[in-house]
Amino acid sequence: MAGELAANAVRHGRVPGRDFHVRLTAPLGGDASGTIRIEVSDTRTEKRPALIAAAPDAETGRGLYLVSRLAERWAVGPRSGGVPGKTVWAEIATETKPSGPGSGSGPGPLQRPQG
């Protein structure tokens, strides 16, 4: 998801002479349960991302759809700090496996809740 959002910022949100910004946050400590948040900000205020239905033979146009299906939540909003642009963010939940004999060690794989 981070790669897709960053690629979209480069392709659709780039203004010559200005960069985009990526911010990743994740839970810390022994309990890795929580939410991973991916934020990508660019300086193009007027060009907002939109979900589109790509043609079956199209070579582009499915990235944001994939983000929308993999993320728990995602949205686009104004860039923080009073600078021009927008931020597209997505969140995914993490889970840890129970600790104890026979349960394995460390956090489990990223999982999406069923339902």
Side-chain angles (χ1 to χ4, degrees):
M1 285 193 293
E4 182 56 42
L5 295 178
N8 282 351
V10 169
R11 185 170 188 181
H12 304 291
R14 186 173 180 282
V15 173
R18 297 186 182 166
D19 291 329
F20 68 95
H21 181 261
V22 177
R23 182 174 140 180
L24 305 171
T25 56
L28 298 174
D31 178 16
S33 294
T35 300
I36 295 173
R37 184 175 173 104
I38 303 157
E39 297 177 2
V40 178
S41 301
D42 64 50
T43 54
R44 202 110 188 242
T45 304
E46 75 283 358
K47 199 163 186 181
R48 302 194 45 104
L51 285 173
I52 61 169
D57 60 345
E59 294 182 11
T60 62
R62 293 180 184 84
L64 197 54
Y65 173 76
L66 292 173
V67 169
S68 75
R69 300 301 297 168
L70 294 170
E72 304 296 324
R73 300 181 316 150
W74 76 278
V76 59
R79 192 170 182 175
S80 64
V83 295
K86 65 185 169 300
T87 297
V88 181
W89 58 266
E91 294 179 341
I92 53 176
T94 63
E95 292 181 8
T96 57
K97 293 180 181 178
S99 59
S103 65
S105 61
L110 297 180
Q111 297 178 357
R112 190 163 196 267
Q114 302 298 315

